[in-house]
Amino acid sequence: MDERLMSLAEGQHYPAGTLYIVATPLGNTADITVRALHILGMVDAIACEDTRNSAQLLQRYGIDKPLIAAHQHNENEAATRLVERLRGGERIAYISDAGTPGISDPGARLVDAVRAAGLGVVPIPGASAVITLLSVAGAWVEAFTFVGFLPSKAQQRAQAIAALAGSTSAQVFYEAPHRIVETVAALAEGLGGARRLLIGRELTKRFEDIHECALSEGVAWLKADANRQRGEFVLAVSGAEASTSDDGVDAEAQRILALLVAELPTKSAAKLAAAITGAPKNALYERALALKNA
């Protein structure tokens, strides 16, 4: 790479005994940042979600460093080893398979362990699937809640969606190809088909798709071409209208009730929701019954 570009990254202080959380491309390897390349070339070792995937990525950039496996199944154990090395003064980077670590990817427990040990953590920003999709969503996403992956079991998924139904913020989800159709169908059923849906599929990759439609039309669009059900997905769904219903239960009260119903008996959930929100207890109880029977 041009030495003038690399020099832009060299001017900052990079302390020893520090964990560097480095964002890597979602798919297009050209999306790496100059600063990320500088860090990956400077550190003593690179911890990664999958050493095989990361080895191939790093090879494309001409980076050869010792790799340490740190994934969701060994993250606590790996954190202990990394803390010991950081205490010895090493600089260690962490990368996930794609995007920003810790965002529905391993990395968060490493950060917790390193901070608990009194050591430094430095973020090296870059690609994020959430922000990539939202950057082309338009003005309807003024505020958003990042949900990540919904539960895979139907009942738990329906409860999680019900808890989001009253929020006026847009909701952003990740989903895998084998569950994308049933997830979009569940969102339409739980949130109402009139909401806006933005589908991001295989973002930054060769066969990237970005499609906006009504939530009720999402399943049909996915089923119209089998290729549309392949790859990794990010979904953005518009929030609820900010209004109060005829029974005096506004969107925020509905959201709180749905959260409580998932954990408490119906009567207790309605009573507590009424105390928190000031909405009518009888109306909340009727809604709680409907949620329990959904």
Side-chain angles (χ1 to χ4, degrees), residues 26-288:
L26 301 174
N28 191 318
T29 53
D31 289 338
I32 193 77
T33 70
V34 172
R35 192 161 172 240
L37 290 175
H38 177 71
I39 289 289
L40 294 173
M42 179 191 68
V43 294
D44 298 288
I46 299 172
C48 44
E49 182 179 0
D50 188 315
T51 55
R52 295 165 299 181
N53 289 345
S54 294
Q56 293 177 7
L57 177 68
L58 294 168
Q59 186 178 21
R60 295 181 182 181
Y61 304 126
I63 296 172
D64 183 14
K65 293 285 179 176
L67 301 182
I68 305 166
H71 46 74
Q72 62 178 341
H73 302 297
N74 79 336
E75 197 168 358
N76 290 331
E77 178 186 348
T80 300
R81 298 198 307 271
L82 292 178
V83 165
E84 291 177 0
R85 296 182 64 163
L86 292 170
R87 281 177 172 156
E90 293 189 30
R91 296 178 180 89
I92 297 177
Y94 181 74
I95 60 177
S96 59
D97 284 348
T100 301
I103 310 299
S104 288
D105 270 341
R109 291 178 184 174
L110 295 180
V111 169
D112 286 343
V114 171
R115 281 226 177 89
L119 298 165
V121 181
V122 173
I124 308 299
S128 166
V130 176
I131 302 304
T132 299
L133 183 69
L134 291 182
S135 70
V136 294
W140 59 272
V141 183
E142 293 185 357
F144 70 93
T145 299
F146 174 61
V147 181
F149 288 95
L150 287 164
S152 58
K153 294 184 178 179
Q155 183 176 1
Q156 294 175 348
R157 182 173 57 225
Q159 290 176 341
I161 292 172
L164 300 169
S167 174
T168 56
S169 298
Q171 313 293 328
V172 185
F173 308 88
Y174 282 164
E175 195 48 275
H178 62 282
R179 287 199 303 265
I180 185 61
V181 171
E182 61 186 81
T183 292
V184 171
L187 287 168
E189 181 178 354
L191 300 178
R195 296 203 189 188
R196 296 173 76 165
L197 169 67
L198 184 65
I199 301 173
R201 185 184 74 87
E202 290 290 85
L203 293 177
T204 80
K205 300 177 184 178
R206 182 180 179 185
F207 297 108
E208 173 184 272
D209 261 330
I210 298 176
H211 178 74
E212 183 177 338
C213 61
L215 188 49
S216 61
E217 299 169 352
V219 168
W221 183 82
L222 290 164
K223 288 184 174 181
D225 184 343
N227 289 319
R228 294 176 181 171
Q229 299 172 44
R230 297 179 179 177
E232 301 301 321
F233 291 84
V234 188
L235 308 172
V237 179
S238 60
E241 295 290 336
S243 62
T244 301
S245 61
D246 292 339
D247 59 4
V249 180
D250 65 15
E252 181 62 9
Q254 294 175 51
R255 184 185 73 83
I256 291 172
L257 178 65
L259 290 170
L260 295 173
V261 163
E263 304 294 335
L264 298 172
T266 305
K267 187 174 181 179
S268 297
K271 183 178 179 180
L272 185 54
I276 294 171
T277 66
K281 185 169 66 174
N282 289 341
L284 288 168
Y285 180 70
E286 293 298 324
R287 287 176 175 267

